Amino acid sequence: MNKIQQWDLQVCRVCLLHPYNRSQARISRLISRTGDGPLYAVLAALLWWQGEVEREAVLMALLAFALELPLYLLLKNALRRQRPVGLPVFITPSDRYSLPSGHTAAAFLMATVLAASFPLWAPLLFTWAILVGASRLLLGVHYLSDLVAGALLGSGCALWALNWSQA
C-alpha cells in the first residue's frame, strides 16, 4: 500500500469510526443530495429565465459538463479504484469505483462557473462544494484523494469552458 492509500485509509478511519457517525451521516446525506444531478437541472431552468448573465452561466455549465462527464467516466473506469471497505457506509453508491468523486467534480464545476458570473457568491459557492465533497467522505463512499481529484476535475473543466468561451 502506498503512502497516499495509507493516508486515505487513516483519514477515513478518523472520519467514520467514532460514536456519532450515524448522526453525522444524516446531515451528510442531506448535503450530498444538494449535489445530485436533478437539482442542477432545476437550478439551470431557474437561472435561464432570469436574464442574459444567468443564461450565459447555464451555457458555460453545459459546456463544462460536456467535457467533465466523459472525462469522469473515462477516469472512473480506467482507474477502477475500489471504494473504502471495512468501514461504515451510510448510502449505496451509484457505481462501483471511487476515483474521482463525481459529486465533488460536479459541485466544483458549478461553483467555479457560478462564481465567475456572480463573484460575490464565490465564498458561499465554494463552501457548498467543499461540503458536498466532505459529505461523500463522511458517508463512507470516497477517500479524501477521490475528493481532491474530483475538485480538480470539476474546476479544471469549468475553467476550460470559461476560457474557451472568451477565446
Side-chain angles (χ1 to χ4, degrees), residues 29-96:
R29 205 174 289 118
L30 292 172
I31 294 168
S32 180
R33 285 190 183 137
T34 68
D36 289 349
L39 291 178
Y40 294 133
V42 170
L43 177 61
L46 291 172
L47 286 173
W48 188 261
W49 300 107
Q50 297 302 308
E52 187 62 33
V53 170
E54 291 82 357
R55 268 193 294 282
E56 186 67 25
V58 171
L59 292 173
M60 287 305 98
L62 288 171
L63 180 60
F65 273 118
L67 177 63
E68 184 269 338
L69 284 170
L71 285 174
Y72 160 78
L73 291 170
L74 178 72
L75 288 168
K76 193 89 125 167
N77 291 303
L79 298 171
R80 296 180 181 209
R81 183 181 197 189
Q82 297 298 314
R83 293 184 183 276
V85 294
L87 295 166
V89 178
F90 298 98
I91 60 170
T92 302
S94 61
D95 59 34
R96 187 172 168 187

